[in-house]
Amino acid sequence: GAVVSQHPSRVICKSGTSVKIECRSLDFQATTMFWYRQFPKQSLMLMATSNEGSKATYEQGVEKDKFLINHASLTLSTLTVTSAHPEDSSFYICSARIAAGNTIYFGEGSWLTVV
Amino acid sequence: AQKVTQAQTEISVVEKEDVTLDCVYETRDTTYYLFWYKQPPSGELVFLIRRNSFDEQNEISGRYSWNFQKSTSSFNFTITASQVVDSAVYFCALSLRSSGSARQLTFGSGTQLTVLP
């Protein structure tokens, strides 16, 4: 079946630095990718929707200058957390929608810890 | 705007018991998809089912079954003869089918299921 891969699965970074998380669709083209954030014991909250070749659409309350999303190709979207702070520590998970369908596939998620 | 409510925050059952996880949704759209996902402690989301709003037929897959009732806007999930490996957080989610929609998922708050040996 379709696979969405996220990398890295776990990352620890120092406060003030930037960290990039990649989301790849391995065997299909994804015109749309979504980035979610999940705090411990909470639900997944949509951060932004990225469409290949255009700017991402951010949900209300999500700082677009802090969470940079790039969807440069039909198989890759990246989320860069800039000037990370401990409160950015969370589980980030991406999903991708196959170009010609309604099925949405999720990546394995990335645990970010900012120390 | 759409909303998904999972009123049960935590459920504990003993192995081999049946358990039903409730999901109630709200949307003004007439065409939508409903999903159930399982999230084990490792974090990844495991897809369980997708249901089209036009298809109210209940579905059974092994020990899993789903009851979709449009009249009550509910999409409940039942695990029969639960096993310890079923312990996880289960999310119900909604996606609109309307054209032009990005079709992002709106998630419920999740239900933590613990199956005790």
Side-chain angles (χ1 to χ4, degrees), chain A residues 34 36 38 42-44 46 49 59 91 93 97 101-104 106 108 111, chain B residues 33 37 39 41-45 50 91 95 102-105 107-109:
Chain A
F34 306 94
Y36 294 84
Q38 184 182 29
Q42 294 188 24
S43 188
L44 287 83
L46 179 66
T49 302
E59 295 300 299
F91 185 62
I93 192 165
R97 183 170 72 86
N102 297 312
T103 305
I104 299 172
F106 281 86
E108 311 97 321
W111 294 96
Chain B
Y33 287 108
Y37 288 90
Q39 187 179 41
S42 53
E44 79 273 19
L45 280 177
R50 184 187 74 184
F91 289 98
S95 171
R103 299 176 187 165
Q104 64 264 39
L105 292 171
F107 284 87
S109 53

PDB file of all heavy atoms in Angstrom, chain A residues 34 36 38 42-44 46 49 59 91 93 97 101-104 106 108 111, chain B residues 33 37 39 41-45 50 91 95 102-105 107-109:
ATOM      1  N   PHE A  34      -0.421  17.446   4.751  1.00  0.00           N
ATOM      2  CA  PHE A  34      -0.907  18.115   5.952  1.00  0.00           C
ATOM      3  C   PHE A  34       0.097  17.905   7.070  1.00  0.00           C
ATOM      4  O   PHE A  34       0.678  16.832   7.217  1.00  0.00           O
ATOM      5  CB  PHE A  34      -2.258  17.540   6.389  1.00  0.00           C
ATOM      6  CG  PHE A  34      -3.302  17.552   5.300  1.00  0.00           C
ATOM      7  CD1 PHE A  34      -3.492  16.444   4.505  1.00  0.00           C
ATOM      8  CD2 PHE A  34      -4.098  18.669   5.088  1.00  0.00           C
ATOM      9  CE1 PHE A  34      -4.446  16.440   3.503  1.00  0.00           C
ATOM     10  CE2 PHE A  34      -5.057  18.677   4.096  1.00  0.00           C
ATOM     11  CZ  PHE A  34      -5.228  17.560   3.301  1.00  0.00           C
ATOM     12  N   TYR A  36       0.378  18.000  11.231  1.00  0.00           N
ATOM     13  CA  TYR A  36      -0.351  18.011  12.492  1.00  0.00           C
ATOM     14  C   TYR A  36       0.642  18.054  13.640  1.00  0.00           C
ATOM     15  O   TYR A  36       1.778  17.623  13.532  1.00  0.00           O
ATOM     16  CB  TYR A  36      -1.208  16.755  12.646  1.00  0.00           C
ATOM     17  CG  TYR A  36      -2.337  16.619  11.659  1.00  0.00           C
ATOM     18  CD1 TYR A  36      -2.113  16.072  10.396  1.00  0.00           C
ATOM     19  CD2 TYR A  36      -3.628  17.017  11.986  1.00  0.00           C
ATOM     20  CE1 TYR A  36      -3.146  15.931   9.492  1.00  0.00           C
ATOM     21  CE2 TYR A  36      -4.670  16.879  11.080  1.00  0.00           C
ATOM     22  CZ  TYR A  36      -4.417  16.334   9.837  1.00  0.00           C
ATOM     23  OH  TYR A  36      -5.442  16.193   8.943  1.00  0.00           O
ATOM     24  N   GLN A  38       0.755  17.131  17.890  1.00  0.00           N
ATOM     25  CA  GLN A  38       0.049  16.439  18.953  1.00  0.00           C
ATOM     26  C   GLN A  38       0.838  16.537  20.248  1.00  0.00           C
ATOM     27  O   GLN A  38       1.956  16.024  20.342  1.00  0.00           O
ATOM     28  CB  GLN A  38      -0.166  14.966  18.599  1.00  0.00           C
ATOM     29  CG  GLN A  38      -0.993  14.201  19.618  1.00  0.00           C
ATOM     30  CD  GLN A  38      -1.143  12.734  19.257  1.00  0.00           C
ATOM     31  OE1 GLN A  38      -0.287  12.156  18.618  1.00  0.00           O
ATOM     32  NE2 GLN A  38      -2.245  12.137  19.681  1.00  0.00           N
ATOM     33  N   GLN A  42      -3.150  14.392  24.003  1.00  0.00           N
ATOM     34  CA  GLN A  42      -4.113  15.247  23.327  1.00  0.00           C
ATOM     35  C   GLN A  42      -4.337  14.770  21.897  1.00  0.00           C
ATOM     36  O   GLN A  42      -3.647  13.867  21.410  1.00  0.00           O
ATOM     37  CB  GLN A  42      -3.634  16.704  23.333  1.00  0.00           C
ATOM     38  CG  GLN A  42      -3.590  17.305  24.732  1.00  0.00           C
ATOM     39  CD  GLN A  42      -3.315  18.792  24.693  1.00  0.00           C
ATOM     40  OE1 GLN A  42      -3.576  19.468  23.691  1.00  0.00           O
ATOM     41  NE2 GLN A  42      -2.785  19.318  25.771  1.00  0.00           N
ATOM     42  N   SER A  43      -5.299  15.377  21.244  1.00  0.00           N
ATOM     43  CA  SER A  43      -5.606  14.987  19.879  1.00  0.00           C
ATOM     44  C   SER A  43      -4.647  15.640  18.894  1.00  0.00           C
ATOM     45  O   SER A  43      -3.814  16.469  19.266  1.00  0.00           O
ATOM     46  CB  SER A  43      -7.047  15.377  19.550  1.00  0.00           C
ATOM     47  OG  SER A  43      -7.421  14.840  18.300  1.00  0.00           O
ATOM     48  N   LEU A  44      -4.783  15.247  17.661  1.00  0.00           N
ATOM     49  CA  LEU A  44      -3.975  15.855  16.611  1.00  0.00           C
ATOM     50  C   LEU A  44      -4.622  17.156  16.176  1.00  0.00           C
ATOM     51  O   LEU A  44      -5.818  17.207  15.896  1.00  0.00           O
ATOM     52  CB  LEU A  44      -3.879  14.927  15.396  1.00  0.00           C
ATOM     53  CG  LEU A  44      -2.993  13.702  15.558  1.00  0.00           C
ATOM     54  CD1 LEU A  44      -3.725  12.578  16.258  1.00  0.00           C
ATOM     55  CD2 LEU A  44      -2.517  13.231  14.186  1.00  0.00           C
ATOM     56  N   LEU A  46      -4.448  20.190  13.375  1.00  0.00           N
ATOM     57  CA  LEU A  46      -3.898  20.566  12.084  1.00  0.00           C
ATOM     58  C   LEU A  46      -3.145  21.879  12.202  1.00  0.00           C
ATOM     59  O   LEU A  46      -3.667  22.860  12.746  1.00  0.00           O
ATOM     60  CB  LEU A  46      -5.029  20.698  11.059  1.00  0.00           C
ATOM     61  CG  LEU A  46      -4.629  21.105   9.648  1.00  0.00           C
ATOM     62  CD1 LEU A  46      -3.789  20.005   8.989  1.00  0.00           C
ATOM     63  CD2 LEU A  46      -5.858  21.391   8.803  1.00  0.00           C
ATOM     64  N   THR A  49      -1.771  23.196   5.779  1.00  0.00           N
ATOM     65  CA  THR A  49      -1.970  22.397   4.579  1.00  0.00           C
ATOM     66  C   THR A  49      -1.018  22.906   3.520  1.00  0.00           C
ATOM     67  O   THR A  49      -0.970  24.114   3.250  1.00  0.00           O
ATOM     68  CB  THR A  49      -3.409  22.544   4.070  1.00  0.00           C
ATOM     69  OG1 THR A  49      -4.311  22.143   5.104  1.00  0.00           O
ATOM     70  CG2 THR A  49      -3.647  21.694   2.836  1.00  0.00           C
ATOM     71  N   GLU A  59      -3.282  27.168   9.788  1.00  0.00           N
ATOM     72  CA  GLU A  59      -4.454  27.275  10.645  1.00  0.00           C
ATOM     73  C   GLU A  59      -4.286  28.471  11.585  1.00  0.00           C
ATOM     74  O   GLU A  59      -3.169  28.910  11.878  1.00  0.00           O
ATOM     75  CB  GLU A  59      -4.645  25.994  11.451  1.00  0.00           C
ATOM     76  CG  GLU A  59      -4.955  24.776  10.590  1.00  0.00           C
ATOM     77  CD  GLU A  59      -6.223  24.943   9.777  1.00  0.00           C
ATOM     78  OE1 GLU A  59      -7.300  25.120  10.402  1.00  0.00           O
ATOM     79  OE2 GLU A  59      -6.152  24.897   8.535  1.00  0.00           O
ATOM     80  N   PHE A  91       4.877  16.032  19.262  1.00  0.00           N
ATOM     81  CA  PHE A  91       4.876  14.994  18.229  1.00  0.00           C
ATOM     82  C   PHE A  91       4.312  15.628  16.973  1.00  0.00           C
ATOM     83  O   PHE A  91       3.198  16.150  16.983  1.00  0.00           O
ATOM     84  CB  PHE A  91       4.030  13.814  18.702  1.00  0.00           C
ATOM     85  CG  PHE A  91       4.031  12.623  17.788  1.00  0.00           C
ATOM     86  CD1 PHE A  91       5.198  11.939  17.524  1.00  0.00           C
ATOM     87  CD2 PHE A  91       2.852  12.154  17.227  1.00  0.00           C
ATOM     88  CE1 PHE A  91       5.200  10.811  16.697  1.00  0.00           C
ATOM     89  CE2 PHE A  91       2.840  11.031  16.399  1.00  0.00           C
ATOM     90  CZ  PHE A  91       4.014  10.365  16.138  1.00  0.00           C
ATOM     91  N   ILE A  93       3.253  15.114  13.025  1.00  0.00           N
ATOM     92  CA  ILE A  93       2.921  14.034  12.102  1.00  0.00           C
ATOM     93  C   ILE A  93       2.373  14.623  10.810  1.00  0.00           C
ATOM     94  O   ILE A  93       1.614  15.586  10.830  1.00  0.00           O
ATOM     95  CB  ILE A  93       1.930  13.038  12.752  1.00  0.00           C
ATOM     96  CG1 ILE A  93       1.787  11.772  11.944  1.00  0.00           C
ATOM     97  CG2 ILE A  93       0.593  13.687  13.021  1.00  0.00           C
ATOM     98  CD1 ILE A  93       1.113  10.643  12.703  1.00  0.00           C
ATOM     99  N   ARG A  97      -2.229  13.252   0.763  1.00  0.00           N
ATOM    100  CA  ARG A  97      -3.391  12.792   0.000  1.00  0.00           C
ATOM    101  C   ARG A  97      -2.929  12.454  -1.405  1.00  0.00           C
ATOM    102  O   ARG A  97      -2.272  13.257  -2.058  1.00  0.00           O
ATOM    103  CB  ARG A  97      -4.466  13.881  -0.031  1.00  0.00           C
ATOM    104  CG  ARG A  97      -5.746  13.453  -0.743  1.00  0.00           C
ATOM    105  CD  ARG A  97      -6.846  14.472  -0.524  1.00  0.00           C
ATOM    106  NE  ARG A  97      -6.635  15.706  -1.265  1.00  0.00           N
ATOM    107  CZ  ARG A  97      -7.021  15.896  -2.531  1.00  0.00           C
ATOM    108  NH1 ARG A  97      -7.617  14.939  -3.181  1.00  0.00           N
ATOM    109  NH2 ARG A  97      -6.813  17.060  -3.109  1.00  0.00           N
ATOM    110  N   GLY A 101      -7.194  10.815  -5.555  1.00  0.00           N
ATOM    111  CA  GLY A 101      -8.080  10.033  -4.695  1.00  0.00           C
ATOM    112  C   GLY A 101      -8.417  10.736  -3.406  1.00  0.00           C
ATOM    113  O   GLY A 101      -8.061  11.891  -3.194  1.00  0.00           O
ATOM    114  N   ASN A 102      -9.148  10.048  -2.571  1.00  0.00           N
ATOM    115  CA  ASN A 102      -9.569  10.632  -1.315  1.00  0.00           C
ATOM    116  C   ASN A 102      -8.878  10.025  -0.113  1.00  0.00           C
ATOM    117  O   ASN A 102      -9.151  10.406   1.004  1.00  0.00           O
ATOM    118  CB  ASN A 102     -11.082  10.442  -1.160  1.00  0.00           C
ATOM    119  CG  ASN A 102     -11.844  11.168  -2.250  1.00  0.00           C
ATOM    120  OD1 ASN A 102     -11.581  12.331  -2.506  1.00  0.00           O
ATOM    121  ND2 ASN A 102     -12.749  10.483  -2.894  1.00  0.00           N
ATOM    122  N   THR A 103      -8.025   9.073  -0.362  1.00  0.00           N
ATOM    123  CA  THR A 103      -7.369   8.408   0.754  1.00  0.00           C
ATOM    124  C   THR A 103      -6.218   9.255   1.267  1.00  0.00           C
ATOM    125  O   THR A 103      -5.474   9.853   0.495  1.00  0.00           O
ATOM    126  CB  THR A 103      -6.859   7.022   0.331  1.00  0.00           C
ATOM    127  OG1 THR A 103      -7.955   6.276  -0.197  1.00  0.00           O
ATOM    128  CG2 THR A 103      -6.273   6.279   1.511  1.00  0.00           C
ATOM    129  N   ILE A 104      -6.123   9.288   2.568  1.00  0.00           N
ATOM    130  CA  ILE A 104      -5.066  10.053   3.221  1.00  0.00           C
ATOM    131  C   ILE A 104      -4.181   9.085   3.985  1.00  0.00           C
ATOM    132  O   ILE A 104      -4.662   8.256   4.744  1.00  0.00           O
ATOM    133  CB  ILE A 104      -5.668  11.106   4.172  1.00  0.00           C
ATOM    134  CG1 ILE A 104      -6.528  12.086   3.364  1.00  0.00           C
ATOM    135  CG2 ILE A 104      -4.577  11.843   4.926  1.00  0.00           C
ATOM    136  CD1 ILE A 104      -7.317  13.051   4.219  1.00  0.00           C
ATOM    137  N   PHE A 106      -0.790   8.559   6.570  1.00  0.00           N
ATOM    138  CA  PHE A 106      -0.016   9.240   7.590  1.00  0.00           C
ATOM    139  C   PHE A 106       1.413   8.735   7.649  1.00  0.00           C
ATOM    140  O   PHE A 106       1.693   7.553   7.418  1.00  0.00           O
ATOM    141  CB  PHE A 106      -0.658   9.043   8.969  1.00  0.00           C
ATOM    142  CG  PHE A 106      -1.834   9.939   9.205  1.00  0.00           C
ATOM    143  CD1 PHE A 106      -3.101   9.566   8.790  1.00  0.00           C
ATOM    144  CD2 PHE A 106      -1.676  11.172   9.825  1.00  0.00           C
ATOM    145  CE1 PHE A 106      -4.187  10.399   8.989  1.00  0.00           C
ATOM    146  CE2 PHE A 106      -2.759  12.010  10.037  1.00  0.00           C
ATOM    147  CZ  PHE A 106      -4.014  11.617   9.619  1.00  0.00           C
ATOM    148  N   GLU A 108       4.967   8.264  10.026  1.00  0.00           N
ATOM    149  CA  GLU A 108       5.146   7.610  11.327  1.00  0.00           C
ATOM    150  C   GLU A 108       5.222   8.620  12.460  1.00  0.00           C
ATOM    151  O   GLU A 108       5.182   8.254  13.625  1.00  0.00           O
ATOM    152  CB  GLU A 108       6.428   6.754  11.333  1.00  0.00           C
ATOM    153  CG  GLU A 108       6.558   5.829  10.143  1.00  0.00           C
ATOM    154  CD  GLU A 108       7.423   6.444   9.057  1.00  0.00           C
ATOM    155  OE1 GLU A 108       7.318   7.682   8.825  1.00  0.00           O
ATOM    156  OE2 GLU A 108       8.201   5.702   8.439  1.00  0.00           O
ATOM    157  N   TRP A 111       9.124  12.834  16.855  1.00  0.00           N
ATOM    158  CA  TRP A 111       9.133  13.375  18.216  1.00  0.00           C
ATOM    159  C   TRP A 111      10.214  14.450  18.293  1.00  0.00           C
ATOM    160  O   TRP A 111      11.385  14.171  18.081  1.00  0.00           O
ATOM    161  CB  TRP A 111       9.454  12.270  19.229  1.00  0.00           C
ATOM    162  CG  TRP A 111       8.416  11.202  19.337  1.00  0.00           C
ATOM    163  CD1 TRP A 111       8.393   9.999  18.703  1.00  0.00           C
ATOM    164  CD2 TRP A 111       7.241  11.232  20.157  1.00  0.00           C
ATOM    165  NE1 TRP A 111       7.285   9.277  19.058  1.00  0.00           N
ATOM    166  CE2 TRP A 111       6.556  10.007  19.965  1.00  0.00           C
ATOM    167  CE3 TRP A 111       6.704  12.175  21.043  1.00  0.00           C
ATOM    168  CZ2 TRP A 111       5.358   9.706  20.606  1.00  0.00           C
ATOM    169  CZ3 TRP A 111       5.524  11.872  21.683  1.00  0.00           C
ATOM    170  CH2 TRP A 111       4.857  10.645  21.462  1.00  0.00           C
TER     171      TRP A 111
ATOM    172  N   TYR B  33     -16.370  11.922   4.662  1.00  0.00           N
ATOM    173  CA  TYR B  33     -15.806  10.632   5.024  1.00  0.00           C
ATOM    174  C   TYR B  33     -15.601  10.593   6.538  1.00  0.00           C
ATOM    175  O   TYR B  33     -15.280  11.600   7.161  1.00  0.00           O
ATOM    176  CB  TYR B  33     -14.432  10.425   4.374  1.00  0.00           C
ATOM    177  CG  TYR B  33     -14.465  10.168   2.894  1.00  0.00           C
ATOM    178  CD1 TYR B  33     -14.031  11.142   2.002  1.00  0.00           C
ATOM    179  CD2 TYR B  33     -14.904   8.956   2.390  1.00  0.00           C
ATOM    180  CE1 TYR B  33     -14.034  10.904   0.645  1.00  0.00           C
ATOM    181  CE2 TYR B  33     -14.905   8.710   1.033  1.00  0.00           C
ATOM    182  CZ  TYR B  33     -14.469   9.688   0.164  1.00  0.00           C
ATOM    183  OH  TYR B  33     -14.477   9.456  -1.178  1.00  0.00           O
ATOM    184  N   TYR B  37      -8.766   5.693  13.455  1.00  0.00           N
ATOM    185  CA  TYR B  37      -7.340   5.413  13.489  1.00  0.00           C
ATOM    186  C   TYR B  37      -6.972   4.887  14.865  1.00  0.00           C
ATOM    187  O   TYR B  37      -7.562   5.283  15.872  1.00  0.00           O
ATOM    188  CB  TYR B  37      -6.511   6.678  13.221  1.00  0.00           C
ATOM    189  CG  TYR B  37      -6.541   7.167  11.794  1.00  0.00           C
ATOM    190  CD1 TYR B  37      -7.498   8.079  11.377  1.00  0.00           C
ATOM    191  CD2 TYR B  37      -5.599   6.728  10.870  1.00  0.00           C
ATOM    192  CE1 TYR B  37      -7.521   8.532  10.070  1.00  0.00           C
ATOM    193  CE2 TYR B  37      -5.615   7.181   9.557  1.00  0.00           C
ATOM    194  CZ  TYR B  37      -6.589   8.074   9.171  1.00  0.00           C
ATOM    195  OH  TYR B  37      -6.608   8.531   7.879  1.00  0.00           O
ATOM    196  N   GLN B  39      -3.734   4.620  17.494  1.00  0.00           N
ATOM    197  CA  GLN B  39      -2.410   5.172  17.772  1.00  0.00           C
ATOM    198  C   GLN B  39      -1.793   4.442  18.961  1.00  0.00           C
ATOM    199  O   GLN B  39      -2.117   4.728  20.112  1.00  0.00           O
ATOM    200  CB  GLN B  39      -2.476   6.679  18.041  1.00  0.00           C
ATOM    201  CG  GLN B  39      -1.093   7.317  18.154  1.00  0.00           C
ATOM    202  CD  GLN B  39      -1.154   8.820  18.396  1.00  0.00           C
ATOM    203  OE1 GLN B  39      -1.966   9.303  19.166  1.00  0.00           O
ATOM    204  NE2 GLN B  39      -0.282   9.562  17.722  1.00  0.00           N
ATOM    205  N   PRO B  41       1.388   3.296  21.554  1.00  0.00           N
ATOM    206  CA  PRO B  41       2.334   4.168  22.268  1.00  0.00           C
ATOM    207  C   PRO B  41       3.481   4.686  21.399  1.00  0.00           C
ATOM    208  O   PRO B  41       4.035   5.741  21.666  1.00  0.00           O
ATOM    209  CB  PRO B  41       2.837   3.262  23.387  1.00  0.00           C
ATOM    210  CG  PRO B  41       1.697   2.331  23.639  1.00  0.00           C
ATOM    211  CD  PRO B  41       1.101   2.064  22.287  1.00  0.00           C
ATOM    212  N   SER B  42       3.839   3.958  20.383  1.00  0.00           N
ATOM    213  CA  SER B  42       4.936   4.400  19.513  1.00  0.00           C
ATOM    214  C   SER B  42       4.572   5.662  18.724  1.00  0.00           C
ATOM    215  O   SER B  42       5.450   6.365  18.241  1.00  0.00           O
ATOM    216  CB  SER B  42       5.320   3.287  18.541  1.00  0.00           C
ATOM    217  OG  SER B  42       4.173   2.838  17.847  1.00  0.00           O
ATOM    218  N   GLY B  43       3.298   5.961  18.600  1.00  0.00           N
ATOM    219  CA  GLY B  43       2.886   7.235  18.014  1.00  0.00           C
ATOM    220  C   GLY B  43       2.314   7.187  16.620  1.00  0.00           C
ATOM    221  O   GLY B  43       1.541   8.072  16.248  1.00  0.00           O
ATOM    222  N   GLU B  44       2.689   6.214  15.829  1.00  0.00           N
ATOM    223  CA  GLU B  44       2.197   6.242  14.451  1.00  0.00           C
ATOM    224  C   GLU B  44       0.692   6.017  14.413  1.00  0.00           C
ATOM    225  O   GLU B  44       0.118   5.380  15.285  1.00  0.00           O
ATOM    226  CB  GLU B  44       2.914   5.205  13.585  1.00  0.00           C
ATOM    227  CG  GLU B  44       2.431   3.782  13.744  1.00  0.00           C
ATOM    228  CD  GLU B  44       3.117   3.048  14.856  1.00  0.00           C
ATOM    229  OE1 GLU B  44       3.697   3.710  15.729  1.00  0.00           O
ATOM    230  OE2 GLU B  44       3.066   1.810  14.855  1.00  0.00           O
ATOM    231  N   LEU B  45       0.065   6.573  13.403  1.00  0.00           N
ATOM    232  CA  LEU B  45      -1.374   6.400  13.235  1.00  0.00           C
ATOM    233  C   LEU B  45      -1.625   5.225  12.303  1.00  0.00           C
ATOM    234  O   LEU B  45      -1.133   5.193  11.183  1.00  0.00           O
ATOM    235  CB  LEU B  45      -2.006   7.659  12.657  1.00  0.00           C
ATOM    236  CG  LEU B  45      -2.266   8.796  13.631  1.00  0.00           C
ATOM    237  CD1 LEU B  45      -2.814   9.991  12.899  1.00  0.00           C
ATOM    238  CD2 LEU B  45      -3.226   8.381  14.721  1.00  0.00           C
ATOM    239  N   ARG B  50     -12.320   3.710   6.577  1.00  0.00           N
ATOM    240  CA  ARG B  50     -12.886   4.928   6.012  1.00  0.00           C
ATOM    241  C   ARG B  50     -14.298   4.608   5.557  1.00  0.00           C
ATOM    242  O   ARG B  50     -14.538   3.597   4.909  1.00  0.00           O
ATOM    243  CB  ARG B  50     -12.073   5.405   4.808  1.00  0.00           C
ATOM    244  CG  ARG B  50     -12.583   6.730   4.237  1.00  0.00           C
ATOM    245  CD  ARG B  50     -11.869   7.099   2.958  1.00  0.00           C
ATOM    246  NE  ARG B  50     -12.307   6.279   1.839  1.00  0.00           N
ATOM    247  CZ  ARG B  50     -11.785   6.335   0.625  1.00  0.00           C
ATOM    248  NH1 ARG B  50     -10.771   7.129   0.382  1.00  0.00           N
ATOM    249  NH2 ARG B  50     -12.239   5.570  -0.345  1.00  0.00           N
ATOM    250  N   PHE B  91      -8.691   7.211  17.530  1.00  0.00           N
ATOM    251  CA  PHE B  91      -9.211   8.486  17.078  1.00  0.00           C
ATOM    252  C   PHE B  91     -10.265   8.282  16.005  1.00  0.00           C
ATOM    253  O   PHE B  91     -10.087   7.491  15.072  1.00  0.00           O
ATOM    254  CB  PHE B  91      -8.104   9.360  16.488  1.00  0.00           C
ATOM    255  CG  PHE B  91      -7.144   9.905  17.501  1.00  0.00           C
ATOM    256  CD1 PHE B  91      -5.924   9.288  17.720  1.00  0.00           C
ATOM    257  CD2 PHE B  91      -7.469  11.036  18.240  1.00  0.00           C
ATOM    258  CE1 PHE B  91      -5.037   9.800  18.661  1.00  0.00           C
ATOM    259  CE2 PHE B  91      -6.580  11.542  19.168  1.00  0.00           C
ATOM    260  CZ  PHE B  91      -5.374  10.927  19.388  1.00  0.00           C
ATOM    261  N   SER B  95     -13.629  14.002   7.356  1.00  0.00           N
ATOM    262  CA  SER B  95     -13.073  14.740   6.225  1.00  0.00           C
ATOM    263  C   SER B  95     -14.204  15.066   5.269  1.00  0.00           C
ATOM    264  O   SER B  95     -15.036  14.211   4.981  1.00  0.00           O
ATOM    265  CB  SER B  95     -12.005  13.888   5.532  1.00  0.00           C
ATOM    266  OG  SER B  95     -11.588  14.486   4.328  1.00  0.00           O
ATOM    267  N   ALA B 102      -9.596  20.930   0.823  1.00  0.00           N
ATOM    268  CA  ALA B 102      -8.304  20.266   0.934  1.00  0.00           C
ATOM    269  C   ALA B 102      -8.455  18.895   1.553  1.00  0.00           C
ATOM    270  O   ALA B 102      -7.552  18.084   1.508  1.00  0.00           O
ATOM    271  CB  ALA B 102      -7.349  21.115   1.762  1.00  0.00           C
ATOM    272  N   ARG B 103      -9.625  18.668   2.141  1.00  0.00           N
ATOM    273  CA  ARG B 103      -9.940  17.372   2.722  1.00  0.00           C
ATOM    274  C   ARG B 103      -9.054  17.013   3.901  1.00  0.00           C
ATOM    275  O   ARG B 103      -8.683  15.863   4.080  1.00  0.00           O
ATOM    276  CB  ARG B 103      -9.923  16.276   1.667  1.00  0.00           C
ATOM    277  CG  ARG B 103     -10.961  16.524   0.587  1.00  0.00           C
ATOM    278  CD  ARG B 103     -10.918  15.517  -0.509  1.00  0.00           C
ATOM    279  NE  ARG B 103     -11.810  15.910  -1.587  1.00  0.00           N
ATOM    280  CZ  ARG B 103     -11.787  15.406  -2.793  1.00  0.00           C
ATOM    281  NH1 ARG B 103     -10.922  14.476  -3.094  1.00  0.00           N
ATOM    282  NH2 ARG B 103     -12.621  15.818  -3.716  1.00  0.00           N
ATOM    283  N   GLN B 104      -8.705  18.030   4.674  1.00  0.00           N
ATOM    284  CA  GLN B 104      -7.954  17.710   5.878  1.00  0.00           C
ATOM    285  C   GLN B 104      -8.882  17.034   6.865  1.00  0.00           C
ATOM    286  O   GLN B 104     -10.087  17.158   6.808  1.00  0.00           O
ATOM    287  CB  GLN B 104      -7.354  18.971   6.509  1.00  0.00           C
ATOM    288  CG  GLN B 104      -8.391  19.975   7.006  1.00  0.00           C
ATOM    289  CD  GLN B 104      -8.648  21.045   5.986  1.00  0.00           C
ATOM    290  OE1 GLN B 104      -8.706  20.782   4.791  1.00  0.00           O
ATOM    291  NE2 GLN B 104      -8.783  22.284   6.427  1.00  0.00           N
ATOM    292  N   LEU B 105      -8.297  16.303   7.771  1.00  0.00           N
ATOM    293  CA  LEU B 105      -9.053  15.564   8.773  1.00  0.00           C
ATOM    294  C   LEU B 105      -9.276  16.409  10.015  1.00  0.00           C
ATOM    295  O   LEU B 105      -8.378  17.105  10.476  1.00  0.00           O
ATOM    296  CB  LEU B 105      -8.303  14.289   9.164  1.00  0.00           C
ATOM    297  CG  LEU B 105      -8.195  13.212   8.081  1.00  0.00           C
ATOM    298  CD1 LEU B 105      -7.254  12.120   8.525  1.00  0.00           C
ATOM    299  CD2 LEU B 105      -9.566  12.639   7.791  1.00  0.00           C
ATOM    300  N   PHE B 107     -10.041  15.727  13.815  1.00  0.00           N
ATOM    301  CA  PHE B 107      -9.962  14.601  14.737  1.00  0.00           C
ATOM    302  C   PHE B 107     -10.785  14.832  15.990  1.00  0.00           C
ATOM    303  O   PHE B 107     -10.937  15.963  16.465  1.00  0.00           O
ATOM    304  CB  PHE B 107      -8.514  14.355  15.163  1.00  0.00           C
ATOM    305  CG  PHE B 107      -7.675  13.685  14.120  1.00  0.00           C
ATOM    306  CD1 PHE B 107      -7.022  14.437  13.157  1.00  0.00           C
ATOM    307  CD2 PHE B 107      -7.541  12.311  14.090  1.00  0.00           C
ATOM    308  CE1 PHE B 107      -6.246  13.833  12.183  1.00  0.00           C
ATOM    309  CE2 PHE B 107      -6.764  11.688  13.119  1.00  0.00           C
ATOM    310  CZ  PHE B 107      -6.120  12.451  12.167  1.00  0.00           C
ATOM    311  N   GLY B 108     -11.289  13.731  16.534  1.00  0.00           N
ATOM    312  CA  GLY B 108     -11.831  13.778  17.878  1.00  0.00           C
ATOM    313  C   GLY B 108     -10.682  13.802  18.875  1.00  0.00           C
ATOM    314  O   GLY B 108      -9.515  13.733  18.501  1.00  0.00           O
ATOM    315  N   SER B 109     -11.023  13.889  20.123  1.00  0.00           N
ATOM    316  CA  SER B 109      -9.999  14.012  21.159  1.00  0.00           C
ATOM    317  C   SER B 109      -9.351  12.685  21.502  1.00  0.00           C
ATOM    318  O   SER B 109      -8.363  12.639  22.237  1.00  0.00           O
ATOM    319  CB  SER B 109     -10.594  14.630  22.420  1.00  0.00           C
ATOM    320  OG  SER B 109     -11.740  13.909  22.814  1.00  0.00           O
TER     321      SER B 109
END
